[in-house]
Amino acid sequence: MKYGFGVDLGGTTVKLAFLNTDGKMLHKWEIPTRTECGGAQILPDIADAVLGYIAQEKLAREDILGIGIGVPGPVDQGGVAVVCDNLGWGRTDVKGILQKLTGLPVEVGNDANMAALGESWMGSGAGCEDLVMVTLGTGVGGGIILGGKPLCGANGAAGEIGHLVLERNETEFCNCGKRGCAEQYCSATGVVRLAKRFGRDYPTCKAVFDAAAAGDGDAQAILEQFYAYLAELTANVCTMLNPRQIIIGGGVSKAGQVILDGVGRHLGKFIYHASTDVEIKLASLGNDAGAYGAFKLICG
Amino acid sequence: MKYGFGVDLGGTTVKLAFLNTDGKMLHKWEIPTRTECGGAQILPDIADAVLGYIAQEKLAREDILGIGIGVPGPVDQGGVAVVCDNLGWGRTDVKGILQKLTGLPVEVGNDANMAALGESWMGSGAGCEDLVMVTLGTGVGGGIILGGKPLCGANGAAGEIGHLVLERNETEFCNCGKRGCAEQYCSATGVVRLAKRFGRDYPTCKAVFDAAAAGDGDAQAILEQFYAYLAELTANVCTMLNPRQIIIGGGVSKAGQVILDGVGRHLGKFIYHASTDVEIKLASLGNDAGAYGAFKLICG
């Protein structure tokens, strides 16, 4: 049995996990992400955490496959992060630096791709090598797994499905500078925005779901719009890629089965007939998905 | 040097070609597609054509790699055509039947994927292993090449980009039964339909292009709508897959550089910033693309 580390590097915390090749997470912990000084301390902190754990547990180096790490931005094929705005990073050779700091093999991926890889390995997509994960959080992320491998794209930017245009006549701008992106309707902030358009002011996305569950007709109508947009997004992903499964994760997905039911009510209007047998599921690994996937990247 | 056959099976004619592994097309010819009796004669006709050519040219069997064939419908991973409406075919084991009839190895792909593979091998995408071909004809087809291989999808239906929804409020139906598909705006029939909505009746898509070139302001305005939809389609493909190149082919693309210029005027509104360096090109192999790609499938 071999072991290794899966690291999910976020803008606030770094999630670290120690796993074995059977996919058992033996230990997990977090450290803060120090973004000051252009994020210069982030990789040294991760190296210290990993080396500290190895020393503390008296692990044999030859049993350690290495470190897989997911970073919040595009990654090129050489393991270089092209840019990570919320870490303060410009172009950063994550693979080279972390290998040098730890003496261990390192593989680097985009965080959304790592979450998708994690779900396809040990989560609700286990056993499925062709799936797309749709992450509904503050924004909308996506990770495409084909033949068991993440699709990276020419600039490491494949799977940015939150920026598919769903509403060509939208007047408000997305954070990315375009108008009509899926993220403007299908994210937590998107749901609150849809509510405002409906003349209702809910503090959070969860408040809209809670109100709808309690019988608030406006909240139900707002969510029905959200479901229609999410169905359109899902359908367009399926029409282009014809995956076996769509895995819906992220904070918004905690609303649970109502999301699958809601998408199901609208999917038929948007999905191409050859893809209607796609399985749509909720993610099951929660915040651990990225660490599972990052480790999977190193253990192959 | 090895040789083989590339076959592009269409609803009216079968295009056959004899090529070498350098990508030189040494001979090409056509036979009619006999769709009567559920298309039962189609594969025997192709076998006769191939075997007849081998006999006539006194070719040595050991120099022949086999037959690659593109068919107009989804193909599963075992070389079985799932359904080909315009051939009269239900589920048809193209690979098994054609191998038995000819004694040669056979590989089978979807025709749009084969055209994309052809362009990525010997056409305007030569040297690029990650591209998407957009075929603008009577309908809109697509073929996705990743790492030099066509992406097939779970049911052989990946790349059906003509059925991405671009206009969620469309009232007219696409042939596929949905509303707002790219094909309703970006195909030859789509351009004529856009013209009708503009209150103008042009007999063909080419007539709209000719009128626009001659200074007809309505035709120019209609084409500007077409360019915007095509830019949106192209952008959504790039946002999802981040390919290196987009190759635009099919009958409508014969209009030439004006299409690239038109798409260029609208692309910025729709494309995600990480994908803006995509190269958009016109296809160069014309009707031969499918035969080139089909042969590439057999020569690997």
Side-chain angles (χ1 to χ4, degrees):
Chain A
M1 180 80 71
K2 297 279 185 182
Y3 303 85
F5 295 88
V7 180
D8 185 9
L9 171 50
T12 313
T13 60
V14 184
K15 296 183 181 69
L16 297 107
F18 182 66
L19 302 98
N20 69 23
T21 48
D22 279 351
K24 193 164 161 55
M25 194 176 276
L26 302 161
H27 183 62
K28 64 175 176 173
W29 74 109
E30 293 186 9
I31 60 173
T33 306
R34 290 201 280 159
T35 54
E36 60 267 26
C37 306
Q41 276 308 307
I42 295 173
L43 293 177
D45 285 350
I46 292 171
D48 287 348
V50 165
L51 294 176
Y53 186 79
I54 291 173
Q56 173 197 315
E57 299 294 318
K58 302 186 172 60
L59 301 172
R61 280 269 176 157
E62 60 268 27
D63 291 336
I64 309 286
L65 289 167
I67 304 167
I69 178 168
V71 304
V75 177
D76 79 10
Q77 305 203 337
V80 175
V82 180
V83 61
C84 292
D85 288 329
N86 54 9
L87 301 181
W89 282 2
R91 197 171 169 81
T92 303
D93 178 9
V94 177
K95 180 173 174 145
I97 296 170
L98 204 53
Q99 282 186 165
K100 198 162 178 190
L101 289 169
T102 61
L104 291 168
V106 172
E107 294 293 338
V108 190
N110 166 268
D111 58 356
N113 289 347
M114 293 305 94
L117 187 59
E119 290 288 345
S120 82
W121 182 40
M122 294 303 296
S124 53
C128 177
E129 298 215 313
D130 297 284
L131 61 79
V132 179
M133 182 162 176
V134 181
T135 302
L136 309 176
T138 312
V140 172
I144 299 170
I145 305 296
L146 297 174
K149 308 271 181 210
L151 179 70
C152 297
N155 307 321
E160 287 286 0
I161 61 173
H163 300 284
L164 291 174
V165 176
L166 296 187
E167 190 73 270
R168 68 201 318 269
N169 300 314
E170 176 64 53
T171 53
E172 294 180 30
F173 284 93
C174 179
N175 286 330
C176 77
K178 301 193 296 153
R179 284 183 281 203
C181 293
E183 186 161 298
Q184 290 182 275
Y185 315 96
C186 300
S187 63
T189 45
V191 169
V192 172
R193 199 183 68 93
L194 285 173
K196 287 212 175 78
R197 288 204 160 180
F198 211 85
R200 291 292 303 265
D201 208 1
Y202 295 90
T204 62
C205 176
K206 184 169 184 303
V208 184
F209 276 95
D210 289 345
D216 175 338
D218 282 0
Q220 289 167 353
I222 291 157
L223 287 184
E224 214 55 40
Q225 289 187 0
F226 159 73
Y227 294 137
Y229 283 110
L230 183 55
E232 185 180 354
L233 171 61
T234 303
N236 280 346
V237 169
C238 291
T239 299
M240 198 167 326
L241 296 174
N242 187 211
R244 288 200 188 282
Q245 297 185 0
I246 297 283
I247 309 289
I248 300 182
V252 178
S253 74
K254 289 183 187 157
Q257 182 65 32
V258 292
I259 295 202
L260 301 185
D261 295 343
V263 168
R265 284 196 292 282
H266 296 274
L267 196 66
K269 289 199 289 282
F270 300 114
I271 198 164
Y272 187 57
H273 53 72
S275 289
T276 48
D277 64 350
V278 65
E279 281 183 84
I280 305 179
K281 298 175 164 186
L282 295 170
S284 65
L285 298 178
N287 289 334
D288 293 339
Y292 274 105
F295 173 68
K296 177 67 174 138
L297 202 63
I298 196 81
C299 72
Chain B
M1 181 78 73
K2 297 279 185 179
Y3 304 84
F5 295 87
V7 180
D8 184 9
L9 170 51
T12 312
T13 61
V14 184
K15 297 184 180 67
L16 297 108
F18 183 66
L19 303 96
N20 68 24
T21 47
D22 278 352
K24 192 163 160 56
M25 195 176 275
L26 302 161
H27 183 62
K28 64 175 175 172
W29 74 108
E30 294 186 7
I31 60 173
T33 305
R34 290 200 281 159
T35 54
E36 60 268 26
C37 307
Q41 276 307 307
I42 295 173
L43 293 177
D45 285 351
I46 292 171
D48 286 350
V50 165
L51 294 175
Y53 185 80
I54 291 173
Q56 174 198 314
E57 299 295 317
K58 300 187 174 59
L59 301 172
R61 280 271 175 154
E62 61 269 26
D63 292 336
I64 309 286
L65 290 167
I67 305 167
I69 178 169
V71 303
V75 176
D76 78 11
Q77 304 203 339
V80 175
V82 181
V83 60
C84 291
D85 289 330
N86 55 8
L87 301 180
W89 282 1
R91 197 171 168 81
T92 303
D93 178 9
V94 177
K95 180 172 175 148
I97 295 170
L98 203 53
Q99 282 187 164
K100 197 160 177 192
L101 288 169
T102 61
L104 291 168
V106 171
E107 294 293 339
V108 189
N110 167 267
D111 57 356
N113 288 348
M114 294 305 94
L117 187 60
E119 289 288 345
S120 82
W121 182 40
M122 294 302 297
S124 53
C128 177
E129 299 215 312
D130 297 283
L131 61 78
V132 178
M133 182 163 177
V134 180
T135 303
L136 309 175
T138 312
V140 172
I144 299 170
I145 305 296
L146 297 174
K149 308 272 180 209
L151 178 70
C152 296
N155 307 320
E160 287 285 1
I161 60 173
H163 300 284
L164 291 173
V165 175
L166 296 186
E167 190 73 271
R168 68 202 317 269
N169 301 313
E170 176 64 52
T171 54
E172 293 181 30
F173 284 94
C174 178
N175 287 328
C176 77
K178 300 193 296 151
R179 284 183 279 203
C181 294
E183 186 161 299
Q184 290 181 275
Y185 315 95
C186 300
S187 64
T189 46
V191 170
V192 172
R193 197 182 70 93
L194 285 174
K196 286 211 176 78
R197 289 204 162 180
F198 211 86
R200 291 292 304 264
D201 208 1
Y202 295 92
T204 62
C205 174
K206 183 169 183 306
V208 184
F209 276 95
D210 289 346
D216 174 339
D218 282 0
Q220 289 166 352
I222 292 157
L223 287 184
E224 214 55 40
Q225 288 188 0
F226 159 74
Y227 294 136
Y229 282 111
L230 184 56
E232 185 181 353
L233 171 62
T234 303
N236 280 344
V237 168
C238 292
T239 299
M240 198 165 328
L241 295 173
N242 186 211
R244 288 201 187 280
Q245 296 185 2
I246 297 282
I247 309 288
I248 299 180
V252 177
S253 74
K254 290 184 186 155
Q257 183 65 33
V258 291
I259 294 202
L260 301 184
D261 295 342
V263 168
R265 284 195 292 280
H266 296 273
L267 195 66
K269 287 198 292 279
F270 300 114
I271 197 163
Y272 187 57
H273 52 73
S275 289
T276 47
D277 64 349
V278 64
E279 282 183 84
I280 305 180
K281 299 174 163 184
L282 295 170
S284 65
L285 297 178
N287 289 332
D288 293 339
Y292 275 103
F295 173 68
K296 178 70 173 128
L297 202 62
I298 196 79
C299 74

